[in-house]
Amino acid sequence: MTDQDTTLRPRAEAAGDTLSLRRPDDWHVHLRDGPMLSLAADLTARQFARAIVMPNLVPPVTTAAAAEAYRERILAALPPGRDFTPLMTAYLTDQIDPDELESGFQAGVFTACKLYPANATTNSAAGVTDVGKIGKVLERLQNIGMPLLVHGEVVSPEIDIFDREAIFLETILAPVLRDFPGLKVVLEHITTEDSVRFVEAAGPNVAATITAHHLRIDRNAMFDGGLRPHAYCLPVAKRRHHRQALREAAVSGSPKFFLGTDSAPHSKHDKESACGCAGIFSAPTALESYAQTFEEEGSLDRLEAFASEFGPRFYRLPLNTSRIRLHRKSQRVPDVLEQGDLRVVPFHAGEDLAWQFQDEGFD
Ligand code: NCD
Ligand code: ZN
Ligand code: ZN
């Protein structure tokens, strides 16, 4: 599919109480490993045909062999009948070998590379300490057209946590794009008006994902009547006007902004701790959450392009041909999801959502 291809575009049909969409993809998700994997993978595979799977396991996914093995574990964790394609990513380190990335990309194992500034977020200790150290890697990515996915925050403890994304744009991403103007970049999980403007002003090789939760919460959600660990993620939610800029970007119809949930489950115990983990588990009702936001913005007719078209066009992958449905039917999101010994609190826990995803063949 080319960027210009508009022939295969049945518009989302909102026939009153049913919303029918081309099946969406999730362009940024954490599926984890071990016991969490079967819970997380199934919930993502219910709603999405494909997903860009983050490589921040312990140890991280840095080789094509590790990515293939992880992909097999993901597929093995799914119940029979789920039609789901995990798109694998390589975790960049200071030492990563550009040949390994290129051969993994050419072999169809890696779809993209992920840049975690060292210690910026969950399981990023092995990340890149200085982008100056991976110049050869960036040059290679630019040459072969392999996308670079970016956690865009500086890590310096002197910099206020609410400013880390904006300062990353100025001090890291702008110089990288000056040095490598053809590099394909996705600025992941954007949280600021600054990022919206940066991506809008950049060339067509630069895009961004927007999460369901950053479209709904602002920074006050973390302190609503007490400390709220389940509203804590990285980058942290910002002021209300930033949330509004994200909403406007998501419903704008610009192909530079597309769906990436950053669904990032941690156990209830690890979240509700003196040093709680960052991450919001939005996979269980991801599409319902986006639909609610788009409806509030009077833009339900723009949801399909954001969820199902702009991502594959950026990645130059075919659009999905099957369709999914959401029904206007109120649902109460559970307080906690349990599987074996595992307890995980989902995004929207205890809230009512207006839409409900129809799980074809499974409900
Ligand atoms: C993610 C995680 O838990 O892996 N956490 C988060 O708050 N978003 C890491 C990340 O995407 O930065
Ligand atoms: Zn991140
Ligand atoms: Zn993430």
PDB file of all heavy atoms in Angstrom, residues 28 114 116 121 151 189 234 262, ligand 2:
ATOM      1  N   HIS A  28       2.231  -0.212  19.473  1.00  0.00           N
ATOM      2  CA  HIS A  28       3.163  -0.153  20.620  1.00  0.00           C
ATOM      3  C   HIS A  28       2.529  -0.900  21.785  1.00  0.00           C
ATOM      4  O   HIS A  28       1.585  -0.406  22.407  1.00  0.00           O
ATOM      5  CB  HIS A  28       3.430   1.304  21.028  1.00  0.00           C
ATOM      6  CG  HIS A  28       4.359   1.455  22.202  1.00  0.00           C
ATOM      7  ND1 HIS A  28       5.378   2.377  22.225  1.00  0.00           N
ATOM      8  CD2 HIS A  28       4.436   0.819  23.397  1.00  0.00           C
ATOM      9  CE1 HIS A  28       6.044   2.298  23.364  1.00  0.00           C
ATOM     10  NE2 HIS A  28       5.468   1.353  24.118  1.00  0.00           N
ATOM     11  N   LYS A 114      14.104  -0.302  18.768  1.00  0.00           N
ATOM     12  CA  LYS A 114      13.568   0.535  19.842  1.00  0.00           C
ATOM     13  C   LYS A 114      14.703   1.203  20.601  1.00  0.00           C
ATOM     14  O   LYS A 114      15.623   0.525  21.082  1.00  0.00           O
ATOM     15  CB  LYS A 114      12.752  -0.340  20.807  1.00  0.00           C
ATOM     16  CG  LYS A 114      12.125   0.437  21.952  1.00  0.00           C
ATOM     17  CD  LYS A 114      11.088   1.431  21.453  1.00  0.00           C
ATOM     18  CE  LYS A 114      10.707   2.433  22.539  1.00  0.00           C
ATOM     19  NZ  LYS A 114       9.542   2.056  23.306  1.00  0.00           N
ATOM     20  N   TYR A 116      15.643   3.033  23.836  1.00  0.00           N
ATOM     21  CA  TYR A 116      15.366   3.441  25.220  1.00  0.00           C
ATOM     22  C   TYR A 116      16.593   4.184  25.721  1.00  0.00           C
ATOM     23  O   TYR A 116      17.668   3.572  25.830  1.00  0.00           O
ATOM     24  CB  TYR A 116      15.175   2.224  26.135  1.00  0.00           C
ATOM     25  CG  TYR A 116      13.901   1.452  25.907  1.00  0.00           C
ATOM     26  CD1 TYR A 116      13.933   0.222  25.244  1.00  0.00           C
ATOM     27  CD2 TYR A 116      12.679   1.920  26.362  1.00  0.00           C
ATOM     28  CE1 TYR A 116      12.772  -0.506  25.036  1.00  0.00           C
ATOM     29  CE2 TYR A 116      11.510   1.189  26.163  1.00  0.00           C
ATOM     30  CZ  TYR A 116      11.567  -0.011  25.503  1.00  0.00           C
ATOM     31  OH  TYR A 116      10.418  -0.730  25.292  1.00  0.00           O
ATOM     32  N   THR A 121      12.990   4.305  31.639  1.00  0.00           N
ATOM     33  CA  THR A 121      11.685   3.679  31.916  1.00  0.00           C
ATOM     34  C   THR A 121      11.887   2.235  32.340  1.00  0.00           C
ATOM     35  O   THR A 121      13.020   1.798  32.561  1.00  0.00           O
ATOM     36  CB  THR A 121      10.779   3.829  30.655  1.00  0.00           C
ATOM     37  OG1 THR A 121       9.456   3.376  30.961  1.00  0.00           O
ATOM     38  CG2 THR A 121      11.309   3.050  29.463  1.00  0.00           C
ATOM     39  N   HIS A 151      11.535   6.031  22.802  1.00  0.00           N
ATOM     40  CA  HIS A 151      11.004   6.512  24.091  1.00  0.00           C
ATOM     41  C   HIS A 151      11.650   7.882  24.296  1.00  0.00           C
ATOM     42  O   HIS A 151      12.828   7.972  24.632  1.00  0.00           O
ATOM     43  CB  HIS A 151      11.337   5.551  25.244  1.00  0.00           C
ATOM     44  CG  HIS A 151      10.803   6.051  26.555  1.00  0.00           C
ATOM     45  ND1 HIS A 151       9.737   5.464  27.201  1.00  0.00           N
ATOM     46  CD2 HIS A 151      11.156   7.119  27.320  1.00  0.00           C
ATOM     47  CE1 HIS A 151       9.464   6.161  28.302  1.00  0.00           C
ATOM     48  NE2 HIS A 151      10.319   7.156  28.406  1.00  0.00           N
ATOM     49  N   HIS A 189       4.250   7.028  22.302  1.00  0.00           N
ATOM     50  CA  HIS A 189       3.431   7.492  23.440  1.00  0.00           C
ATOM     51  C   HIS A 189       3.648   8.971  23.792  1.00  0.00           C
ATOM     52  O   HIS A 189       4.064   9.315  24.879  1.00  0.00           O
ATOM     53  CB  HIS A 189       3.642   6.608  24.675  1.00  0.00           C
ATOM     54  CG  HIS A 189       5.062   6.284  25.080  1.00  0.00           C
ATOM     55  ND1 HIS A 189       6.077   7.199  25.097  1.00  0.00           N
ATOM     56  CD2 HIS A 189       5.609   5.120  25.507  1.00  0.00           C
ATOM     57  CE1 HIS A 189       7.180   6.610  25.514  1.00  0.00           C
ATOM     58  NE2 HIS A 189       6.930   5.357  25.766  1.00  0.00           N
ATOM     59  N   LEU A 234       5.008   6.067  32.204  1.00  0.00           N
ATOM     60  CA  LEU A 234       6.022   6.957  31.620  1.00  0.00           C
ATOM     61  C   LEU A 234       5.827   7.024  30.111  1.00  0.00           C
ATOM     62  O   LEU A 234       5.539   5.997  29.506  1.00  0.00           O
ATOM     63  CB  LEU A 234       7.426   6.441  31.955  1.00  0.00           C
ATOM     64  CG  LEU A 234       7.811   6.641  33.428  1.00  0.00           C
ATOM     65  CD1 LEU A 234       9.082   5.888  33.758  1.00  0.00           C
ATOM     66  CD2 LEU A 234       7.981   8.123  33.758  1.00  0.00           C
ATOM     67  N   ASP A 262       0.575   1.320  24.229  1.00  0.00           N
ATOM     68  CA  ASP A 262       1.559   1.223  25.310  1.00  0.00           C
ATOM     69  C   ASP A 262       0.960   0.483  26.507  1.00  0.00           C
ATOM     70  O   ASP A 262       1.302   0.778  27.651  1.00  0.00           O
ATOM     71  CB  ASP A 262       2.084   2.612  25.726  1.00  0.00           C
ATOM     72  CG  ASP A 262       3.289   2.508  26.663  1.00  0.00           C
ATOM     73  OD1 ASP A 262       3.970   1.477  26.632  1.00  0.00           O
ATOM     74  OD2 ASP A 262       3.523   3.469  27.420  1.00  0.00           O
TER      75      ASP A 262
HETATM   76 ZN    ZN B   2       8.350   4.091  26.652  1.00  0.00          ZN
END
